[in-house]
Amino acid sequence: WEVNIRRSLHCPRRLSRVLDLPPENLIKSISAVPVSKKEEVADFQLSVDSLLENNSDHLRPDIQVQAKRLAEKLRCDTVVSEISTGQGTVNFKINRELLTKTVLQQVIEDGSKYGLKSELFSSHPQKKIVVEFSSPNVAKKFHVGHLRSTIIGNFIANLKEALGHQVTRINYLGDWGMQFGLLGTGFQLFGYEEKLQSNPLQHLFEVYVQVNKEAADNKSVEKSAREFFQRLEMGDMQALSLWQKFRDLSIEEYIRIYKRLGIYFDEYSGESFYREKSQEVLKLLDSKGLLLKTVKGTAVVDLSGNGDPSSACTVMRSDGTSLYATRDLAAAIDRMDKYNFDTMIYVTDKGQQKHFQQVFQILKIMGYDWAERCQHVPFGVVRGMKTRRGDVTFLEDVLNEIQLRMLQNMASIKTTKELENPQETAERVGLAALIIQDFRGLLLSDYQFSWDRVFQSRGDTGVFLQYTHARLHSLEENFGCGYLNDFNTACLQEPQSVSVLQHLLSFDLFIYKLQGVRYHLAAVAHKTLQIKDSPPEVAGARLQLFKAVRSVLANGMKLLGITPVCRM
């Protein structure tokens, strides 16, 4: 769409003559102008700074002077109606009827790919990308602490996939480690088979809490837990059989919850996959002279280069068993062999920043240059999430609460339509509310959860986003598709229409900067740009505009992991 407009402008060809540069060098320097609430802005801008990026600093002329000189050499025509200068830019205002026709036609032609074919992404070659996210702990209920990883990781994977990259989504389960020593011992002490079968995760959680309290006061319980985990590491069949039962029951529960969230994974992996390969990593570290034994009998890797103990990363316990870091090293090496990735992204809370810095550093000193392709996306913690029954740690409770509250909200509003499946609609609107709430703040900031804020029906909220989509969909339903075959661009020249078109035009810029979709404008516009009682020609043009807005809005929602509703 943007390429078509740019090329129809003939700007690159004319600019290439003026600047004596090939047109392909100019295309990447031209972008849609971010829309301003305060003033009418141009449609495209040419960044003079990016044109001069190859010049050394002492040879670079004054950017503003260059912009003015360039603007003076260019002339308006039937395509460009106005040329001006901004801060280091030359701005172009496009013939309004051409803008209207080109944007709306392109939205319809490109459908779900609208904005993703932009020149902004053309220089990005297709890559193999691995995204590890969610990663709950087996034998514990799905903790709300994993909620942000799941939402953010799903968005990253959706976005990369939409841009044409080959994405592998991995759920790396916490299914190994000392907690299984505690859980195995705890189940032998406090577990009941009938409770395990009737309500497995609840019972395992209760056992885990109980054995932790016991181990704090009783050294023999702690010793027993260590021995149980050692038996697991050595492949003891009885210990492995109990562990396998805990793992299978937990994964069944996770799959059910992910289905409710509308999320899928290409691979369910886990720390247990790497219990043998982690021993190979230890041997490799030892052979490279990187493994250092401590007086306590543990093994560490010195990351300071000068013996600073604060920079050491422990990779083996004194009894020879592996740690989280060792298994992450083994997993990274295995994934490189399996996927030959260009980028691997880990999405976890900011408390694990040091852990991943150490893992990536160890990979590098082991001689794996591809360690530079590994990235950690950290995020802040959600605080104060409660249901009506009190404090909550389980995502399942949050999803149930969302559905219940949304159903009550819908029932209390007179304009709520009769729905075929109100529970499904309530869950989709509620999930949108939860997802938008999560994306509102800064990624690294902790935030205080508020149900009132989540369910606000106005402002930057998921409820209002879903309402806007449903309202736009109902316009198409109510007024049919008869208007959509052809339309008169002259009927869409009001300031509100132009502003909406400019937002559609800059959708690629929103994606590029990882911003959300602005939907307030659409909500305001559908009140001011009436279809009912308007002349057929005007109504048809406005309906075409709103159809385009709904299409782009739905595209943005799906990237965020939101399923748009058509009625509410």
Side-chain angles (χ1 to χ4, degrees), residues 132-134 144-153 156 346-353 376-382 438 442-447:
E132 181 200 293
F133 65 103
S134 195
V144 292
H146 299 287
L147 175 65
R148 295 204 81 186
S149 173
T150 307
I151 289 172
I152 295 161
I156 291 170
Y346 298 85
V347 186
T348 73
D349 70 75
K350 62 186 178 183
Q352 295 195 47
Q353 278 179 298
H376 177 220
V377 175
F379 54 80
V381 178
V382 184
D438 201 73
L442 295 171
L443 192 64
L444 276 169
S445 299
D446 297 347
Y447 75 85

Side-chain angles (χ1 to χ4, degrees), residues 8 81 100 212 230 259 272 403 409 417 537 551:
S8 71
S81 61
T100 305
N212 265 291
Q230 204 166 4
K259 194 174 178 182
S272 63
Q403 190 184 66
N409 283 7
K417 305 247 180 8
E537 198 175 39
S551 174

